[in-house]
Amino acid sequence: METAESHVQLAEELSGEFTVYLPDRRGRGASGPHGAGYRLRKEVEDLEALITATDAHALFGLSSGAIICLQAALELPTVRKVAIYEPPLSINGSLATDWLPRFDREIEAGNLAEALVIATKATQMFGHALPGWLLKPLVRLMLGDMLRLVPTFHYDVELLIETTDQAQRFAGIEADVLLMGGGRSPAYLKTALDELERLLPDAQRVEFATLNHGGSGNRNRGGNPPLVARELRRFFASTQ
């Protein structure tokens, strides 16, 4: 449910010290469709193309984007620093994905609001305690045009499935790592960060007590860009 526009305010906070690139991932914003055979490999290839074109060496990723950044840091020696905000890695069943077929059926039927209710209740992103009959009209009211991004949930879940109980792979990352999370986020996200901290003992860790999974996004999405940017600025400073 994110496009490049979702993090414009964070980019603005960092732009005094850094050149910041905000890519639209496949299926989002100005980018084309996901294409056949979508896998984590394709996302890393896209990111590698951007890194090659810009000579960037530092990455920031949120949620499924954080998984992509972790994999890129593992594969691409040009990545020197990677900051990730709450990658939704499933650790020993901490995050179920068996709801995806129900989600896909609603998408196929054109029921975007119903599909989003299924996804948000399963991932506990917001309103998971509300009954579906009440959550659905709230989703329509709150998101409006953002409903067009609901189908991207399928591809994010594909990344979750591909990396289920595979966190061990990231133990080989040689780049500097900053682990970030919100104190008000679902427990499974903290579980993933705990596991990564165990696997990467030299990683830095920051928790923002008052933020949730949208903490790095624009203010109208519940984020606090200045707070997150302060930690990113400190972490990325030595890349210049």
Side-chain angles (χ1 to χ4, degrees):
M1 299 295 292
E2 300 277 350
T3 67
E5 187 179 353
S6 307
H7 279 73
V8 165
Q9 291 174 3
L10 181 66
E12 290 172 345
E13 290 287 337
L14 294 168
S15 63
E17 293 92 344
F18 306 98
T19 300
V20 184
Y21 299 92
L22 287 170
D24 276 318
R25 283 172 52 204
R26 293 173 182 241
R28 297 164 169 83
S31 293
H34 290 81
Y38 175 80
R39 301 275 294 182
L40 182 55
R41 176 96 286 277
K42 279 196 172 184
E43 293 279 12
V44 173
E45 289 173 353
D46 291 345
L47 190 52
E48 183 178 17
L50 180 62
I51 289 171
T52 299
T54 62
D55 196 33
H57 302 287
L59 307 177
F60 168 75
L62 161 70
S63 197
S64 57
I67 294 177
I68 296 165
C69 287
L70 283 169
Q71 188 65 28
L74 182 64
E75 295 185 23
L76 307 178
T78 53
V79 176
R80 300 172 187 166
K81 294 206 171 193
V82 56
I84 60 169
Y85 195 108
E86 296 184 337
L89 297 167
S90 183
I91 310 296
N92 296 324
S94 59
L95 177 59
T97 56
D98 56 357
W99 50 273
L100 186 58
R102 290 191 295 120
F103 173 89
D104 288 341
R105 287 195 294 271
E106 297 297 341
I107 291 294
E108 187 175 354
N111 300 325
L112 298 184
E114 183 63 39
L116 185 55
V117 167
I118 292 170
T120 54
K121 287 173 73 71
T123 57
Q124 304 170 35
M125 285 298 105
F126 65 87
H128 59 281
L130 296 176
W133 64 267
L134 180 58
L135 182 55
K136 186 158 54 173
L138 288 177
V139 162
R140 290 197 184 100
L141 179 65
M142 293 168 61
L143 295 176
D145 289 343
M146 290 295 289
L147 281 173
R148 70 185 184 277
L149 291 172
V150 172
T152 65
F153 245 115
H154 169 92
Y155 299 95
D156 288 342
V157 177
E158 290 287 348
L159 300 185
L160 271 60
I161 293 171
E162 188 176 344
T163 56
T164 293
D165 290 328
Q166 296 292 315
Q168 181 66 39
R169 70 167 76 179
F170 301 124
I173 291 176
E174 296 184 0
D176 295 337
V177 178
L178 174 62
L179 306 173
M180 312 173 83
R184 296 181 177 178
S185 296
Y188 67 85
L189 294 169
K190 184 177 185 299
T191 297
L193 290 172
D194 289 345
E195 179 66 5
L196 288 170
E197 188 173 29
R198 184 185 70 81
L199 293 169
L200 299 164
D202 293 330
Q204 301 177 46
R205 176 109 176 239
V206 175
E207 180 172 299
F208 304 101
T210 62
L211 300 185
N212 58 22
H213 195 54
S216 60
N218 296 341
R219 292 177 183 85
N220 67 343
R221 296 178 69 86
N224 189 330
L227 182 61
V228 177
R230 184 179 65 192
E231 295 298 332
L232 290 175
R233 194 178 295 113
R234 175 188 59 78
F235 177 66
F236 287 144
S238 62
T239 65
Q240 291 184 293

